[in-house]
Amino acid sequence: MTGFVPGKFQVRHHVRGDLNAEEVFVLVPGRDPAAVSALLAYARSTPDIALAKRLRKWAETCMGIRPIDGQPPRVVTKIPLWVSVLAREVRENGMPVETALTRIAGHAADSARRELGATGLTPVTDGEE
């Protein structure tokens, strides 16, 4: 299992310069469904309406609700990224291959559900009861 890795990212503020590792927490919503949840939580809690709107739009794009560059996202296009990221976890951090494969399958299933319009645990039906 991987955890917090201090110094993994170098983050700079455009005015203040480098930020101390204890000052920031880096999330990558395009690769991590938990990061998308964090974006949405921040959007709900910030008083900055414009920021909240941008965060919701970013989260929706990552979830496949909004098209990116005019093309609707498809599960197949995301699989190489998931494989790449998780292969690195296997090589560098010792994640078991079985765990990586399970995570890829989970990401694919979640993405497919979203593409089909499922929300939460509500199953997608073809309109028949």
Side-chain angles (χ1 to χ4, degrees):
M1 184 165 131
T2 62
F4 173 69
V5 181
K8 185 173 182 177
F9 294 95
Q10 184 176 13
V11 181
R12 290 183 47 82
H13 186 275
H14 70 284
V15 173
R16 294 186 303 250
D18 288 338
L19 298 173
N20 188 323
E22 289 80 34
E23 293 180 274
V24 297
F25 185 77
V26 176
L27 300 172
V28 185
R31 298 181 186 175
D32 182 0
V36 175
S37 296
L39 282 179
L40 292 170
Y42 197 95
R44 283 190 301 272
S45 65
T46 184
D48 185 333
I49 295 170
L51 174 60
K53 184 177 179 178
R54 287 194 310 273
L55 292 175
R56 279 192 298 276
K57 184 175 179 181
W58 184 11
E60 290 171 354
T61 299
C62 291
M63 292 185 299
I65 294 171
R66 292 181 184 264
I68 300 171
D69 298 328
Q71 296 296 319
R74 297 283 178 238
V75 173
V76 174
T77 63
K78 296 178 183 180
I79 291 175
L81 175 63
W82 297 329
V83 170
S84 171
V85 169
L86 290 167
R88 188 172 54 241
E89 287 295 318
V90 168
R91 284 192 309 274
E92 296 176 7
N93 298 316
M95 176 188 286
V97 173
E98 296 81 5
T99 301
L101 292 172
T102 300
R103 288 187 180 180
I104 291 167
H107 290 321
D110 290 343
S111 194
R113 278 192 215 87
R114 285 191 295 270
E115 281 188 33
L116 294 171
T119 57
L121 299 176
T122 305
V124 175
T125 64
D126 58 6
E128 296 178 16
E129 293 295 323

